[in-house]
Amino acid sequence: MAMAAAASAAAPAGAKPSFSSPATHAFLISRLRHEHSFPKRISSSYPTLASRSAPKPLSLRRPPRATTGPAETASAIFHGPCYVLGDNIDTDQIIPAEYLTLVPSNPDEYEKLGSYALVGLPSAAYTTPFVGPGATRTRFPVIIAGANFGCGSSREHAPVALGAAGSRAVVAESYARIFFRNSVATGEVYPVECEGVGLCKECTTGDIVTVELGVNRLVNHTTGKEYKLKPIGDAGPVIHAGGIFAYARKTGMIASPSN
Amino acid sequence: MASTLMASCSSIFGAKNKSSFASCFSPSIRAHSFRKHALNKVLAVMAPARSPRSPSSTGSVKHAMTMTEKILARASEKSHLEPGENIWVNVDVLMTHDVCGPGTIGIFKKEFGQNAKVWDREKIVIIPDHYIFTSDERANRNVDILRDFCLEQNIKYFYDIKDLGDFKANPDYKGVCHIALAQEGHCRPGEVLLGTDSHTCNAGAFGQFATGIGNTDAGFVMGTGKLLLKVPPTLRFILDGEMPKYLLAKDLILQIIGEITVAGATYKSMEFVGSTIERLSMEERMTLCNMVVEAGGKNGVVPADETTFKYLEDKTSKNFEPVYSDDNARFIQEYRIDVSKLEPLVAKPHSPDNRALARECKDVKIDRVYIGSCTGGKKEDFFAAAKVFLASGKKVKVPTFLVPATQKVWMDIYGLPVPGSGGKTCSQIFEEAGCDVPASPNCGACLGGPRDTYARMNEPQVCVSTTNRNFPGRMGHKEGQIYLASPYTAAASALTGYVADPRDFLL
């Protein structure tokens, strides 16, 4: 009843989605449970390997939110210098509380959040800032981390700050659940898990890496080592679409204006 | 099938743990890296999938569920479910505050339409509490955003504040969201409560499913009243034994987190039972469940009983139906703790699982003490601190900040007599001990906040705190050192100027 109210209250003109019947709920459940297989996609802007002295981070931009298009794959590729973190990086370190007055759904403040991403890291342990002084975006498209990444507060500002800064994927040993869930729901950053332990000890900030979701592989070009990743699974298509709402619209769970 | 899976989970968790969780529990300090390494093998992002049942396990076993499973089954209108299942859950209460509310509202309007109406104006509780008594313009604006939305949607429960100079001039204002939810009767056994704050798990003390979610999920709930959740398996903690008079629930949860680490309960439910638990007050049960998230837990639960019903008597007239774990419900791990053997604890910088005995930290000189937050700023927390100051009769040696969680707590500090004090109130005892004047109720410096937040740590100091996290920068300064402790331990530390064991004052 409240859902119907939401549907009817949606403005007829403009891109206003409405939430439809329980049947779509069941459909969404089954979609989220079963794995998709998508054709592989290689970006046309895949660069040649950049020299270490002048790394060019490739940002394989996902399509802007709410566009429809061919069934996109979740097998994205990210390439560029990596930023390495240890275990138990909590959300206060990702985005300290004093910046939580910024409202992520407000575009100007969204950008500002990005500029403060990971500013809470202790300076002694992390001498290279994630976002350079005076910059608003990071030059590191890939973050490599240890266990329990994103623990602590449930603030959604955390994955938002990382995504707004230009980070595309985190490759960690494991995640705290609220952070993982928020990353998927917002579609801001891929929370990828690596197999085994020790990845963050074998990589150094600045190493050039390639993350290939389609073949579940991370290659560190600087060290020459390869690592196996756990499949991103059901979360992939949701993030690729731009988050849970965009995914639900794109797959017909929620009626979109063109329907 | 399922039992073999459980056995193998037990053996992975229990191989080295079982010996230390025998009935005589001794709080030995384990090598942190050893614990961590052992857990690395079993950490899963998602709950382990259950294998299909053999026919022999159907029948009475088929419907055996834990409390958490039962609550979620009812909320998703299923007769039975198992850990690992994704289910659509009907939400009874959605809570948000000034930090996450505006973002949630933004998403709700963007996704459901500028003119959309919330799914149920009586099931959303909006509680400004985080950044209230500050001159930060954006923080103040965020409360205005909440107000505009509540007016537009005719939200029934909005605990508004307009006069920042005098919190008492705001009749609707409550304070810290989790304590306000409890005090205003929004926490009820058997229900599902979601909030845009990690310590929403606090409400599990009432025998309900309560967990923290992000803005996007909350925006979704705002429009639909439902959320897709994965059913967590349950860890069971059986606490027995007489609670020593120098221990509080904070010590119990620090003990547990120290044992299973900050990721030991990731994606799991933590159920607390046993004779010790049954004797805990509601506020103590809240302290216990509050920090479940610090172990990575999805939610915490304490079975509802007479204590619960009595607490709720004057707070809600809504009907509720408690649920209880079946006798043969399956838990992926059980821990037995004899509380009579425990000692006062702290969590040293910079992790809630960096457990140590308070008495082994007596050489740590401190700069300040903070008593407040949803974890340690309730009425009983202040009464506990007052008890230590009363027993000592001396003055504190370091600045001691007191931040009551809610207006009600503030009133109790000023109005109720402390047992054994000859009629003195907490506020009088605090004044005589030289503590700071109790501040306006809000989240305060637990999470740092805007620069002008009262008691924020703006220099690299050492603080003993009754709050819930001590990661780098948590209370403000990145090099600040925070020792998490019970109100007894915090008060004792204030009196000595060092991390102290409250037994020095209470025995």
Side-chain angles (χ1 to χ4, degrees):
Chain A
M1 21 112 203
M3 288 189 298
S8 60
K16 298 291 190 280
S18 61
F19 201 80
S20 43
S21 70
T24 61
H25 292 175
F27 189 32
L28 182 57
I29 297 168
S30 66
R31 286 286 220 145
L32 286 169
R33 273 203 192 140
H34 295 98
E35 281 192 353
H36 297 277
S37 61
F38 290 92
K40 274 197 188 180
R41 180 177 78 126
I42 307 286
S43 163
S44 55
S45 51
Y46 189 89
T48 53
L49 289 176
S51 70
R52 197 170 184 187
S53 55
K56 275 207 188 99
L58 163 67
S59 192
L60 200 86
R61 299 305 307 173
R62 62 178 188 268
R65 291 177 181 230
T67 55
T68 53
E72 292 292 350
T73 178
S75 57
I77 298 177
F78 311 112
H79 173 85
C82 66
Y83 192 83
V84 182
L85 298 167
D87 294 329
N88 300 319
I89 300 296
D90 75 302
T91 48
D92 273 80
Q93 292 179 72
I94 297 174
I95 185 78
E98 62 187 290
Y99 305 112
L100 298 186
T101 49
L102 296 163
V103 176
S105 51
N106 181 322
D108 303 329
E109 296 182 26
Y110 171 86
E111 269 195 37
K112 263 187 114 64
L113 271 175
S115 69
Y116 295 123
L118 288 169
V119 80
L121 292 172
S123 335
Y126 297 97
T127 49
T128 308
F130 182 68
V131 176
T136 49
R137 290 174 66 83
T138 183
R139 60 185 180 90
F140 303 100
V142 176
I143 292 171
I144 291 179
N148 203 24
F149 185 77
C151 60
S153 157
S154 63
R155 61 192 69 165
E156 199 170 87
H157 306 68
V160 168
L162 295 179
S167 160
R168 299 304 300 123
V170 180
V171 179
E173 280 177 30
S174 60
Y175 292 89
R177 63 161 281 270
I178 308 178
F179 177 87
F180 182 91
R181 207 190 154 90
N182 287 345
S183 300
V184 177
T186 57
E188 285 287 344
V189 68
Y190 285 89
V192 186
E193 253 188 304
C194 60
E195 293 274 4
V197 304
L199 171 68
C200 61
K201 293 185 182 57
E202 294 177 12
C203 298
T204 311
T205 294
D207 286 356
I208 306 298
V209 303
T210 306
V211 175
E212 297 169 80
L213 293 186
V215 293
N216 302 315
R217 179 173 66 206
L218 180 148
V219 177
N220 183 329
H221 302 286
T222 308
T223 62
K225 285 185 130 168
E226 276 192 25
Y227 301 87
K228 197 159 179 290
L229 304 176
K230 292 188 185 167
I232 189 77
D234 298 331
V238 176
I239 299 166
H240 195 84
I244 196 80
F245 279 106
Y247 177 82
R249 274 197 296 276
K250 195 163 139 182
T251 49
M253 309 307 141
I254 300 175
S256 62
S258 56
N259 286 5
Chain B
M1 299 287 174
S3 57
T4 347
L5 179 67
M6 184 179 69
S8 65
C9 278
S10 293
S11 65
I12 291 165
F13 277 107
K16 105 194 138 43
N17 279 344
K18 272 210 171 96
S19 55
S20 62
F21 285 103
S23 49
C24 294
F25 188 94
S26 65
S28 60
I29 299 167
R30 297 176 160 280
H32 191 82
S33 58
F34 174 58
R35 274 208 309 276
K36 195 168 71 68
H37 183 68
L39 276 170
N40 274 336
K41 292 192 205 123
V42 305
L43 273 178
V45 173
M46 300 296 180
R50 297 284 188 142
S51 36
R53 292 173 189 275
S54 64
S56 60
S57 70
T58 55
S60 64
V61 176
K62 183 179 182 186
H63 294 289
M65 291 191 280
T66 66
M67 241 177 101
T68 293
E69 289 159 25
K70 280 189 175 178
I71 296 168
L72 294 177
R74 192 164 70 191
S76 58
E77 296 165 36
K78 286 167 172 272
S79 62
H80 184 259
L81 46 70
E82 296 196 340
E85 281 188 48
N86 285 304
I87 49 161
W88 283 99
V89 163
N90 295 321
V91 178
D92 293 290
V93 178
L94 173 71
M95 182 279 295
T96 190
H97 48 51
D98 55 300
V99 162
C100 294
T104 300
I105 291 165
I107 289 168
F108 168 72
K109 284 180 172 279
K110 176 180 162 225
E111 303 293 350
F112 292 100
Q114 290 300 319
N115 299 324
K117 294 283 169 232
V118 300
W119 107 92
D120 190 325
R121 58 169 282 274
E122 296 196 10
K123 292 189 176 172
I124 298 176
V125 186
I126 299 194
I127 313 181
D129 65 348
H130 274 59
Y131 303 154
I132 305 302
F133 305 102
T134 171
S135 59
D136 185 299
E137 279 178 13
R138 269 201 308 259
N140 299 335
R141 169 210 64 176
N142 288 345
V143 179
D144 293 341
I145 292 174
L146 296 183
R147 185 177 311 109
D148 291 343
F149 184 74
C150 287
L151 284 171
E152 171 200 299
Q153 299 281 334
N154 195 17
I155 298 290
K156 186 171 180 184
Y157 302 107
F158 173 47
Y159 300 133
D160 195 6
I161 179 164
K162 288 181 179 150
D163 184 345
L164 304 184
D166 178 11
F167 70 89
K168 287 188 244 76
N170 302 276
D172 295 332
Y173 180 70
K174 307 292 171 206
V176 175
C177 59
H178 307 300
I179 309 309
L181 281 172
Q183 291 178 335
E184 298 307 310
H186 295 297
C187 302
R188 294 174 290 264
E191 290 195 2
V192 171
L193 166 71
L194 302 180
T196 58
D197 193 272
S198 61
H199 294 109
T200 306
C201 50
N202 186 84
F206 290 84
Q208 64 175 145
F209 179 89
T211 195
I213 56 175
N215 298 357
T216 302
D217 279 339
F220 189 92
V221 175
M222 235 182 212
T224 66
K226 293 175 189 291
L227 194 66
L228 187 66
L229 290 176
K230 191 166 221 161
V231 180
T234 302
L235 300 173
R236 194 177 227 200
F237 296 88
I238 305 164
L239 284 78
D240 287 307
E242 173 105 14
M243 186 85 153
K245 53 196 263 208
Y246 43 82
L247 279 194
L248 291 168
K250 181 67 172 279
D251 296 292
L252 302 180
I253 191 64
L254 286 181
Q255 176 68 28
I256 291 170
I257 296 169
E259 200 57 43
I260 69 175
T261 82
V262 288
T266 301
Y267 281 98
K268 301 181 185 82
S269 177
M270 293 173 72
E271 184 175 309
F272 303 102
V273 296
S275 57
T276 312
I277 302 296
E278 287 160 26
R279 289 195 287 265
L280 288 181
S281 65
M282 286 313 297
E283 290 202 349
E284 284 279 83
R285 295 177 188 191
M286 283 189 241
T287 304
L288 199 63
C289 291
N290 179 285
M291 287 185 71
V292 150
V293 66
E294 266 52 85
K298 183 156 181 159
N299 71 302
V301 277
V302 174
D305 56 13
E306 279 311 310
T307 306
T308 323
F309 306 142
K310 193 144 172 48
Y311 182 93
L312 288 173
E313 247 171 37
D314 60 342
K315 295 181 180 65
T316 183
S317 53
K318 285 194 176 202
N319 289 326
F320 52 80
E321 202 186 309
V323 294
Y324 304 92
S325 291
D326 292 323
D327 288 337
N328 49 353
R330 289 161 301 165
F331 300 92
I332 51 168
Q333 181 74 351
E334 278 196 356
Y335 299 87
R336 288 186 176 277
I337 299 170
D338 178 354
V339 308
S340 66
K341 308 247 175 331
L342 300 183
E343 301 183 63
L345 296 172
V346 292
K348 299 189 293 185
H350 296 274
S351 177
D353 68 3
N354 195 6
R355 183 188 65 189
L357 295 170
R359 64 173 165 82
E360 287 183 353
C361 299
K362 284 187 175 178
D363 58 337
V364 176
K365 193 163 194 302
I366 66 174
D367 300 301
R368 46 166 57 199
V369 167
Y370 185 95
I371 301 177
S373 83
C374 51
T375 316
K378 305 182 287 297
K379 173 188 124 191
E380 290 177 23
D381 299 313
F382 285 104
F383 270 66
K387 196 165 154 193
V388 174
F389 291 134
L390 195 64
S392 154
K394 302 263 179 23
K395 285 192 182 297
V396 295
K397 296 214 162 74
V398 294
T400 301
F401 305 104
L402 311 170
V403 186
T406 63
Q407 286 225 42
K408 278 206 175 111
V409 174
W410 189 97
M411 308 252 294
D412 290 343
I413 290 175
Y414 275 89
L416 295 178
V418 175
S421 70
K424 288 184 190 170
T425 62
C426 280
S427 57
Q428 287 171 315
I429 294 169
F430 293 147
E431 192 182 337
E432 282 169 16
C435 302
D436 262 39
V437 175
S440 303
N442 74 119
C443 295
C446 168
L447 72 163
R451 289 286 158 131
D452 63 348
T453 303
Y454 173 75
R456 186 183 196 275
M457 197 164 6
N458 293 323
E459 267 133 59
Q461 294 184 316
V462 182
C463 177
V464 175
S465 172
T466 64
T467 56
N468 43 59
R469 289 196 190 110
N470 58 350
F471 294 114
R474 173 67 180 174
M475 291 184 88
H477 199 282
K478 277 202 259 188
E479 270 90 63
Q481 310 223 15
I482 302 161
Y483 287 75
L484 303 177
S486 79
Y488 281 159
T489 305
S493 305
L495 289 166
T496 63
Y498 290 78
V499 174
D501 188 310
R503 284 176 288 193
D504 295 345
F505 297 95
L506 292 175
L507 287 182

